[in-house]
Amino acid sequence: MRLLSGFIKSLSKLSMIGRALMLPISLLPAAGLLLAFGDKFHLPLMMNAGGVIFDNLPLLFAIGSAVGLASESGIAALSAAVSVFITNITIGTVLSITPEMASQGGKYAMVVGIPTLQMGVFGGLICGILAAWCYNRFHTLQLPEFLGFFSGKRFVAIATAFMSFILGLLLPYVWQHIQAGIDALSVIVNGDNQAASTFIFGLVERALIPLGLHHIWYPSFWYSFGDYTTQAGQVIHGDQTIWFKMLEEGTKSFSSSTYQNAGKFMQGEFPLMLFALPAACLAMYHEAHTKNKKIAAGILFSAALTCFLTGITEPVEFTFIFVAPILYVFNAIMAGLAYMCMYLLHAHIAKSFSAGLIDYISFGILPSFNGYQTNFLSAVMIGVPMALIYYFTFRFVIRRFDVKTPGRTEVSSSASDKSDDELVGEIIGLLGGAKNIDSVGSCITRLRIEVLNGDRVDKEGLNGVGARGVVFVGDKGVQVIFGARAQFIAQAMSTTLGK
């Protein structure tokens, strides 16, 4: 029983970390677009502007994760930067790592100009979590009056500095075991059977969507697994980081002696976002009751367009994931097959954040004009058959099992007519009242809330005010899916609750 309770609590904490990761990851579209357009129009200055973001991901992940996990941005961000500097300089000094050793790559690297261990974004994430913990633990600390100047928020950066020094002393002895595990997984993932690796990656990523834990799954593949030696001799890691470095350096095949088939853990979603899920929306519209088709069209057309343009899928997937488990499993398996088929067709398309039309044009079509072997038409070759399969499968399952997708239940359009501020009062009440809400946050499409008592949350009531799904993560974590407006609802809730 204790093991189950611990697992449930771990899921809740992982969900919070997944939320925090969205902030630094959301910076990457800007970097990707700068690289893509800089390459297309032969503008080295623009490419350098994009490349510097990918070159400093540890610092960005530290700051972003700290801001995401703490309730106050400024002090948490400053403390995270302090942690990156002190942790890495301590590690480098303890291990006597020189700039020459770091420049050779391998287990050493340069992080913000400091020779240190090669920990990639995980090093930044560790520093960010430490800074957030220090903020949450010490920002209300009252010191004796003669030390009053250092009380409260001013103490956070001080505490982070000392804790980071201790962290820097411990990590050299701990990280070697973590790195050994990462290296072993990297060998498996990038081994002889990459078709299986891509299938498993796609299947698990889609399967984790309901819990919002897919943000925990893919960073290892994007930022850690795999090694690529740059033209300057630097070793970098992760499928996404490597793809953009190859674009920057002009490696048109997206393969090298050290890393093969860059893009394999990103491109599989293009057939899904551009073709399959919009086709599922069309199927759900055609299966809506005649009297509800107008309302269903508004919901489904908006979700399909969001998915097609930006690659944000939750507005589509949350229309069927909870009401039709068979379609949830079908969607996860098809995602795995899409990844595998794109790999087998030698596609090499990246995504900066999510695989919609914008990324497809920027990182599939445009690079091909400059001779890069993206093989972007593979997405069409796979996507069109997938769209037909999705359309007829969805129509059959919805009709056969009377699945309550949009338009097949009594729906109300009043929720969409309400402003975010108008919804906040109702949402707070349905979450058990202000006193039951411990913290409020959001990612792209969902509120991520910690409550004191999950039994007081009215799931049906939340669905009634326009939520597209309600997910309980652990005994205190609640995710309420509202689509793209979730971040604005979260801001209004934070203002109302003073959190």
Side-chain angles (χ1 to χ4, degrees):
M1 194 68 179
R2 287 182 178 178
L3 183 62
L4 178 60
S5 177
F7 176 71
I8 291 173
K9 290 181 179 178
S10 297
L11 281 181
S12 180
K13 296 300 181 184
L14 281 174
S15 175
M16 297 297 289
I17 294 174
R19 182 193 78 184
L21 285 173
M22 290 310 301
L23 184 57
I25 289 174
S26 67
L27 298 171
L28 299 183
L33 290 172
L34 284 168
L35 281 172
F37 285 98
D39 172 73
K40 171 60 183 172
F41 298 110
H42 306 290
L43 299 172
L45 182 61
M46 184 177 286
M47 295 189 71
N48 290 338
V52 74
I53 294 179
F54 284 102
D55 291 340
N56 290 281
L57 287 179
L59 179 61
L60 296 176
F61 268 74
I63 295 173
S65 59
V67 170
L69 289 169
S71 56
E72 203 277 338
S73 299
I75 299 297
L78 174 64
S79 299
V82 168
S83 183
V84 169
F85 292 129
I86 293 178
T87 299
N88 284 293
I89 197 65
T90 304
I91 291 172
T93 303
V94 167
L95 297 179
S96 301
I97 305 171
T98 65
E100 292 74 21
M101 294 166 64
S103 66
Q104 294 175 5
K107 62 180 181 179
Y108 304 126
M110 296 291 290
V111 176
V112 292
I114 301 171
T116 183
L117 282 174
Q118 173 61 269
M119 297 183 289
V121 298
F122 290 112
L125 183 60
I126 291 169
C127 291
I129 291 173
L130 175 62
W133 181 85
C134 287
Y135 176 83
N136 293 329
R137 176 69 177 80
F138 298 118
H139 77 280
T140 58
L141 179 68
Q142 293 285 342
L143 294 174
E145 186 174 346
F146 68 94
L147 293 174
F149 177 80
F150 301 103
S151 294
K153 293 179 181 179
R154 292 191 184 95
F155 189 76
V156 173
I158 298 172
T160 303
F162 282 99
M163 296 293 288
S164 297
F165 176 72
I166 296 172
L167 178 65
L169 294 175
L170 295 176
L171 273 178
Y173 307 101
V174 175
W175 186 257
Q176 59 181 324
H177 303 293
I178 300 174
Q179 187 63 55
I182 292 175
D183 291 342
L185 287 172
S186 182
V187 169
I188 295 172
V189 165
N190 294 288
D192 295 331
N193 198 347
Q194 294 183 30
S197 296
T198 52
F199 173 80
I200 293 170
F201 173 82
L203 184 149
V204 173
E205 185 193 33
R206 287 295 104 185
L208 290 174
I209 285 284
L211 296 176
L213 296 179
H214 53 302
H215 301 308
I216 298 294
W217 171 250
Y218 64 74
S220 295
F221 294 83
W222 283 16
Y223 310 118
S224 289
F225 294 156
D227 304 323
Y228 171 66
T229 304
T230 68
Q231 295 171 3
Q234 179 188 9
V235 178
I236 60 174
H237 305 275
D239 193 51
Q240 187 186 64
T241 312
I242 290 170
W243 191 97
F244 281 105
K245 180 59 71 173
M246 287 182 171
L247 178 72
E248 185 180 353
E249 294 190 334
T251 306
K252 299 186 183 296
S253 66
F254 290 109
S255 289
S256 72
S257 59
T258 58
Y259 191 82
Q260 301 293 314
N261 306 305
K264 58 194 170 190
F265 297 117
M266 297 182 285
Q267 61 198 8
E269 289 186 351
F270 285 102
L272 197 70
M273 311 325 192
L274 298 179
F275 297 95
L277 289 176
C281 288
L282 181 62
M284 288 186 277
Y285 169 74
H286 284 155
E287 289 300 324
H289 297 317
T290 303
K291 64 178 181 177
N292 293 329
K293 279 190 179 292
K294 184 176 180 180
I295 294 175
I299 296 171
L300 294 169
F301 177 78
S302 174
L305 185 62
T306 299
C307 177
F308 180 79
L309 289 178
T310 68
I312 297 172
T313 63
E314 280 96 331
V316 178
E317 290 172 311
F318 278 94
T319 61
F320 64 84
I321 280 178
F322 299 111
V323 295
I326 188 173
L327 291 177
Y328 160 65
V329 174
F330 165 78
N331 185 54
I333 293 173
M334 291 298 291
L337 290 173
Y339 270 93
M340 183 176 70
C341 290
M342 289 288 280
Y343 166 77
L344 293 174
L345 289 178
H346 305 291
H348 303 291
I349 310 173
K351 60 177 183 177
S352 61
F353 174 71
S354 199
L357 181 64
I358 297 171
D359 276 6
Y360 183 64
I361 293 173
S362 301
F363 312 121
I365 296 176
L366 288 181
S368 71
F369 292 159
N370 284 353
Y372 288 90
Q373 299 172 19
T374 60
N375 297 326
F376 64 89
L377 288 177
S378 299
V380 180
M381 295 168 58
I382 298 169
V384 171
M386 278 186 67
L388 294 173
I389 293 170
Y390 265 67
Y391 178 79
F392 290 109
T393 300
F394 268 69
R395 292 205 68 174
F396 171 79
V397 171
I398 290 169
R399 188 174 299 182
R400 175 68 177 80
F401 298 103
D402 191 25
V403 178
K404 302 302 182 183
T405 49
R408 294 180 65 84
T409 58
E410 292 301 322
V411 292
S412 171
S413 60
S414 59
S416 61
D417 295 332
K418 295 180 180 178
S419 69
D420 299 333
D421 291 330
E422 290 173 330
L423 279 175
V424 163
E426 297 180 59
I427 293 171
I428 291 173
L430 294 167
L431 289 169
K435 294 183 178 179
N436 193 44
I437 300 173
D438 188 38
S439 68
V440 177
S442 69
C443 60
I444 298 171
T445 59
R446 62 185 86 193
L447 302 177
R448 291 177 181 257
I449 299 164
E450 291 281 310
V451 296
L452 300 177
N453 185 351
D455 294 334
R456 297 180 61 184
V457 177
D458 184 351
K459 181 177 180 179
E460 295 302 320
L462 289 167
N463 287 327
V465 298
R468 300 177 185 178
V470 180
V471 184
F472 291 90
V473 183
D475 53 355
K476 295 184 178 181
V478 184
Q479 299 177 6
V480 190
I481 294 82
F482 276 103
R485 66 190 300 193
Q487 61 176 315
F488 303 108
I489 295 175
Q491 290 173 5
M493 287 183 65
S494 297
T495 300
T496 301
L497 296 171
K499 295 182 181 293

